[in-house]
Amino acid sequence: AEQLEFYENHAQPVMMSLTRVANRGIDVDLKLRSNLVGETELAIEKAKKEISELAGKPLNPASSKQMQKYFYDELKIPPVVNRSTGRRTVDEKAMVKLKGRTKNPVTHKLLDVCLSYREHTKLLSTFLTSKLTSNGKMVTSYHATGTVTGRISSSKTIFGLGGNLQQIPKSPIRRMFKSPSNHVFIKADLSQAEARCVAWVAPIPQLIERFT
């Protein structure tokens, strides 16, 4: 009953608005986007070359098998294990942990370059080469029931266009989005939203008094 009430009072009323926003899309500076693609591809190639140089052998950072073999079997660094699968992993979080498991400065540098490679490949595939609409707009699908907490989520459309517009990193990529003529972008955020919820749900009279 509580789930149905939440759906009817919270999720369902915003679906039409979210659909309108998603379908309208955002203008993209195509020239800047193309330049960013070139810069990112160069950064990726530079990182790949540096990784092999630091490793002293050809090492493909896109190959999980090669990376695991190099760090865990050859360098003998204590492996990071995925709690869900129970298997060794070399994902981004694992690489950050590996930096704390070795004192070798060359290995530290190698891990930093690997993380840079992962960051740039993600930027390229997720934001810079995602498909735009025929009129050059970036679109998305907003999901009113996308998370267990009630927050909306964002992803590609059912037609494979656009991508997640809620997780655009703080980087030059943000500059490629343009506001329409005679319009501007604004940023709106709730003030201490989580703390306020805790204050009222707990309840904590002293905090409530401060907030009000």
Side-chain angles (χ1 to χ4, degrees):
E2 291 181 357
Q3 286 183 328
L4 179 60
E5 181 182 0
F6 180 81
Y7 175 80
E8 291 178 339
N9 295 332
H10 177 79
Q12 195 173 38
V14 302
M15 287 183 177
M16 190 67 73
S17 297
L18 290 176
T19 301
R20 286 200 298 268
V21 173
N23 288 343
R24 183 176 294 127
I26 301 177
D27 292 329
V28 174
D29 185 329
L30 300 179
K31 183 178 179 180
L32 177 57
R33 187 180 196 240
S34 178
N35 291 339
L36 289 171
V37 168
E39 292 173 7
T40 305
E41 288 177 340
L42 285 175
I44 291 172
E45 290 305 312
K46 180 181 177 181
K48 288 170 66 176
K49 182 179 179 180
E50 191 172 359
I51 286 170
S52 293
E53 290 175 350
L54 289 168
K57 57 180 288 186
L59 185 63
N60 181 6
S63 171
S64 177
K65 186 176 181 179
Q66 283 190 33
M67 299 292 278
Q68 287 185 32
K69 182 178 179 181
Y70 179 76
F71 287 114
Y72 299 147
D73 299 332
E74 296 182 26
L75 298 186
K76 304 298 182 182
I77 300 177
V80 177
V81 178
N82 185 306
R83 292 183 179 181
S84 300
T85 64
R87 297 178 180 178
R88 301 187 305 180
T89 177
V90 284
D91 60 15
E92 291 181 29
K93 291 183 179 180
M95 287 188 177
V96 173
K97 291 182 179 179
L98 288 179
K99 291 180 64 177
R101 299 186 181 187
T102 177
K103 296 181 179 180
N104 189 316
V106 176
T107 305
H108 269 243
K109 176 63 175 177
L110 174 58
L111 288 166
D112 283 335
V113 179
C114 287
L115 287 168
S116 176
Y117 168 83
R118 295 278 181 90
E119 178 185 358
H120 282 96
T121 53
K122 183 177 181 180
L123 291 177
L124 186 66
S125 62
T126 308
F127 303 108
L128 293 175
T129 56
S130 52
K131 294 181 180 180
L132 305 179
T133 63
S134 58
N135 59 348
K137 289 180 179 289
M138 177 75 77
V139 291
T140 187
S141 280
Y142 286 117
H143 310 288
T145 56
T147 67
V148 296
T149 61
R151 290 174 179 264
I152 63 173
S153 64
S154 171
S155 68
K156 287 183 179 181
T157 70
I158 59 173
F159 305 108
L161 300 175
N164 186 344
L165 291 182
Q166 289 183 287
Q167 294 183 345
I168 301 170
K170 292 181 179 180
S171 69
I173 287 179
R174 291 190 177 188
R175 300 202 314 268
M176 74 179 188
F177 295 103
K178 304 188 301 181
S179 60
S181 179
N182 298 321
H183 291 72
V184 295
F185 285 131
I186 65 168
K187 177 180 178 180
D189 195 7
L190 294 174
S191 172
Q192 297 177 302
E194 290 81 4
R196 291 173 186 266
C197 287
V198 170
W200 264 267
V201 172
I204 306 174
Q206 297 90 337
L207 277 181
I208 294 175
E209 184 178 352
R210 288 183 184 181
F211 285 134
T212 53

